[in-house]
Amino acid sequence: MAASSRAQVLRLYRALLRESQRFGGYNYRTYAIRRIRDAFRENKNIKDSEKIEELVNKAKANLEVIRRQV
């Protein structure tokens, strides 16, 4: 993974966690944080650039959903 791509993924991960902290309900907040951490841990060893790009786009879409709901 290129350095810029790695930096982009880490920035996206932090943004997802930061936005999830803004959920008002404890259960929603902890569920979102757990799902984000689990998804990133599960996919950390993927080397295929197309699959990485697909997952990054999915994470960006999820970030927008979280921003709308918070």
Side-chain angles (χ1 to χ4, degrees), residues 43 46-57:
N43 296 315
I46 294 178
K47 302 294 183 205
D48 182 25
S49 61
E50 291 178 8
K51 181 68 174 170
I52 291 171
E53 190 64 34
E54 177 185 328
L55 291 169
V56 166
N57 290 335

Side-chain angles (χ1 to χ4, degrees), residues 2-65:
S4 63
S5 179
R6 178 179 169 84
Q8 178 187 13
V9 169
L10 290 174
R11 202 171 22 244
L12 185 58
Y13 177 69
R14 285 191 294 266
L16 282 163
L17 289 177
R18 191 177 318 114
E19 289 297 320
S20 296
Q21 289 291 336
R22 297 178 58 203
F23 273 115
Y26 173 80
N27 289 334
Y28 291 116
R29 185 171 50 246
T30 55
Y31 176 75
I33 292 169
R34 186 176 68 244
R35 291 280 296 151
I36 291 165
R37 287 182 179 154
D38 289 347
F40 275 81
R41 282 186 192 132
E42 178 182 320
N43 296 315
K44 73 179 181 180
N45 294 324
I46 294 178
K47 302 294 183 205
D48 182 25
S49 61
E50 291 178 8
K51 181 68 174 170
I52 291 171
E53 190 64 34
E54 177 185 328
L55 291 169
V56 166
N57 290 335
K58 184 177 175 183
K60 286 180 182 178
N62 287 335
L63 178 59
E64 292 304 316
V65 169

